[in-house]
Amino acid sequence: KYMHDHDSSAPRVSTANPWMISTVLLLGIAVGFGLAQVPYFKTLGASTQTAAIQAGNNAPTPQGEPAPVELTEDQIAALPDDDPVIGNEDAPITVVEFSDFQCPYCSKFWSEGYKNIENDYIKTGKVKFVYRDYPLEFHPQAMPAAIAAGCANEQGKFWEFHDALFGGQSEWAANPQFLDVFKKYATEIGLKAADFNTCMEKKTYEKEVQKDLIDGVVAGVNGTPGFFINGKALSGAMPYESVFKPIFEALL
């Protein structure tokens, strides 16, 4: 039924809704006090995640669309942050995805949308694609998966690990031994095992993942996968041929 955690049942291309300053301040307070413990890894506490995703990820989507609000040029320029990027740096189209490695609709986008975008637009120099983390509180393995991907990125193999996580989602998403699966992927893609394991044990990229989540909230992300295409928001694992491709062609 749904194509989005929380979902969008129809294509929605709109500008993002920046949150009010007071909301951002409250969110910052929640991050400071809302860290909770889960097996092996800490993740954002329920109060923080509720504040962060109440707009759509964890509750029914309200009727109607929010009033469109244009992101400023500075906000658009800040969307990629310093997160993993693939494609021509000077590509005319920039896609920023906010995603959750445990989200089934994010995996669906990876298998049905991303691969086509990669072949048709990234490899041809037309699209620069940026991945940012948006782990949802009801996906307990999403935070450690995001941290593991950060550890892979440290060794220059984020996209290989990204593909392994989405391609093998059914293998680890409900597996209590998920860390062993991550270590297996690390070995398969040629990472230095000792460095990867140390990075995981220290949870080196936890704060970076949390920053991505907060940045997504501020930008108006209301579910996963959520995209910004040259600064315009698109929600959900929408079809490549009827949604993504026409948008790209219109921009080109």
Side-chain angles (χ1 to χ4, degrees):
K1 178 180 179 182
Y2 293 143
M3 302 288 285
H4 189 275
D5 267 354
H6 183 71
D7 80 296
S8 172
S9 56
R12 300 192 314 173
V13 181
S14 63
T15 51
N17 270 317
W19 283 43
M20 295 177 66
I21 293 176
S22 60
T23 303
V24 177
L25 290 175
L26 288 173
L27 182 58
I29 293 171
V31 169
F33 292 95
L35 295 177
Q37 298 290 334
V38 297
Y40 187 77
F41 278 92
K42 293 185 295 181
T43 188
L44 289 174
S47 60
T48 305
Q49 279 281 41
T50 299
I53 62 177
Q54 191 64 41
N57 291 321
N58 208 16
T61 303
Q63 294 296 317
E65 292 292 329
V69 177
E70 291 286 345
L71 289 175
T72 68
E73 290 185 5
D74 287 345
Q75 288 173 317
I76 293 172
L79 280 172
D81 196 40
D82 58 353
D83 287 87
V85 58
I86 187 170
N88 176 14
E89 180 63 31
D90 298 320
I93 299 173
T94 297
V95 177
V96 179
E97 178 188 14
F98 284 84
S99 187
D100 172 321
F101 283 114
Q102 196 176 350
C103 161
Y105 308 112
C106 300
S107 179
K108 179 180 177 65
F109 164 73
W110 170 79
S111 64
E112 298 179 5
Y114 172 77
K115 288 184 177 181
N116 284 311
I117 293 171
E118 182 181 26
N119 288 329
D120 296 347
Y121 291 96
I122 296 174
K123 290 181 178 179
T124 57
K126 299 173 185 177
V127 164
K128 176 175 67 176
F129 195 98
V130 182
Y131 185 95
R132 301 198 67 181
D133 293 296
Y134 203 86
L136 305 177
E137 66 178 335
F138 48 86
H139 291 156
Q141 263 74 294
M143 173 64 82
I147 294 172
C151 293
N153 187 51
E154 186 175 82
Q155 297 190 41
K157 293 198 172 185
F158 171 83
W159 294 102
E160 292 88 342
F161 202 82
H162 162 279
D163 292 350
L165 286 173
F166 280 131
Q169 190 183 81
S170 62
E171 180 181 16
W172 60 265
N175 185 348
Q177 304 302 319
F178 61 90
L179 291 176
D180 291 337
V181 179
F182 296 166
K183 291 175 182 178
K184 183 188 75 170
Y185 294 162
T187 299
E188 289 174 348
I189 67 173
L191 296 181
K192 296 177 182 178
D195 292 344
F196 178 81
N197 294 344
T198 298
C199 180
M200 292 278 287
E201 289 166 5
K202 292 183 176 179
K203 313 174 189 83
T204 303
Y205 292 96
E206 182 180 48
K207 289 184 179 179
E208 171 63 27
V209 174
Q210 292 170 352
K211 180 181 183 298
D212 278 4
L213 173 64
I214 294 170
D215 286 352
V217 169
V218 173
V221 175
N222 67 355
T224 57
F227 306 90
F228 291 90
I229 303 175
N230 282 2
K232 303 291 185 179
L234 172 68
S235 294
M238 296 304 165
Y240 169 74
E241 288 290 342
S242 61
V243 177
F244 282 98
K245 188 173 182 178
I247 292 172
F248 294 156
E249 290 302 316
L251 289 171
L252 293 169

